[in-house]
Amino acid sequence: MFKMAKGHKLNRQRVVAAAEDYVDAHGIKALTLPHLAKELGVRSQSLYNYVANREDLLSLVGAHMITEMRQAATDHIIGLSGRKALFTLADFIRDYMRQRPVMREIIMRLHEYPDQSPMEQAVKQFVDLVERIRVQSGSPDFPSAHIYLGAVLGYIFFDSADLFAGDSDHKSQADYHDMLNRLFPYPNK
């Protein structure tokens, strides 16, 4: 599936791309350097020229995924501001993570990455995006990026855990928007 074609040199970018494809297909737990090496058609020792270990590789994969999500989210909310941007961003995050379930696993492991890791840096950039939107809204009533992301991600994690499997997609979406309306009430007129 990911075998290297003759004449193509292995590099860090190709290793990370192959690992990302692998975790999308098989999940994080299945990723080992020997499995990835087999997919790439190289010896596992060769991978150590590009990554220090499995944790380093997962940090790079997570950073790439978060960066892709942040870039796509930014494109999605261009021209929007304030409450509308925050709602649209929340919907985008939910849809993105539903389409790419491994993202939930990547984010849940954030505490396992060392300080200043590529993963932590990518997440900080995403948090900065949310905080910039919040500050630009000019509303002192809007909660912090911490509260916003905690609520959005918390809802997504519970929603994906099938704790509310009896809820229709329509009800789940309505509840999600109810939560957002409580976080970001319309300004008093």
Side-chain angles (χ1 to χ4, degrees):
M1 183 167 158
F2 308 107
K3 297 258 190 241
M4 295 288 297
K6 288 189 181 200
H8 287 129
K9 291 193 134 255
L10 191 62
N11 61 37
R12 186 178 224 185
Q13 184 178 350
R14 285 193 176 127
V15 169
V16 171
E20 186 173 337
D21 289 344
Y22 192 89
V23 299
D24 272 334
H26 306 288
I28 290 176
K29 290 179 184 175
L31 180 66
T32 65
L33 293 179
H35 285 136
L36 183 60
K38 183 177 179 186
E39 293 292 325
L40 287 166
V42 300
R43 294 181 6 196
S44 58
Q45 294 85 345
S46 299
L47 296 178
Y48 290 100
N49 292 317
Y50 308 101
V51 295
N53 51 40
R54 181 178 184 272
E55 289 73 30
D56 182 37
L57 178 59
L58 285 173
S59 178
L60 293 167
V61 167
H64 186 260
M65 289 177 159
I66 294 291
T67 299
E68 276 184 342
M69 186 172 77
R70 179 180 49 81
Q71 290 168 341
T74 300
D75 292 346
H76 200 71
I77 61 170
I78 284 180
L80 303 177
S81 61
R83 187 176 191 278
K84 178 71 173 166
L86 289 165
F87 264 69
T88 302
L89 179 60
D91 281 340
F92 175 84
I93 293 168
R94 184 171 183 238
D95 292 344
Y96 193 94
M97 292 181 83
R98 283 175 136 188
Q99 293 168 5
R100 202 164 190 193
V102 75
M103 286 294 294
R104 296 188 301 264
E105 235 182 312
I106 292 282
I107 291 172
M108 287 297 291
R109 298 172 59 102
L110 182 58
H111 67 282
E112 296 176 11
Y113 303 109
D115 289 345
Q116 305 305 315
S117 69
M119 175 64 177
E120 183 179 271
Q121 294 304 308
V123 170
K124 283 181 179 178
Q125 289 176 344
F126 200 93
V127 170
D128 289 345
L129 169 66
V130 173
E131 189 60 20
R132 280 194 316 272
I133 295 168
R134 189 191 69 76
V135 168
Q136 289 171 356
S137 76
S139 176
D141 298 332
F142 284 1
S144 69
H146 188 163
I147 293 170
Y148 173 86
L149 288 170
V152 168
L153 293 174
Y155 192 96
I156 291 166
F157 289 126
F158 276 105
D159 198 35
S160 67
D162 290 331
L163 292 173
F164 305 99
D167 290 354
S168 68
D169 283 344
H170 181 266
K171 173 150 177 33
S172 180
Q173 183 76 7
D175 287 350
Y176 185 63
H177 284 165
D178 183 43
M179 176 195 70
L180 294 173
N181 279 316
R182 292 166 190 255
L183 277 175
F184 303 103
Y186 284 102
N188 293 329
K189 299 203 177 176

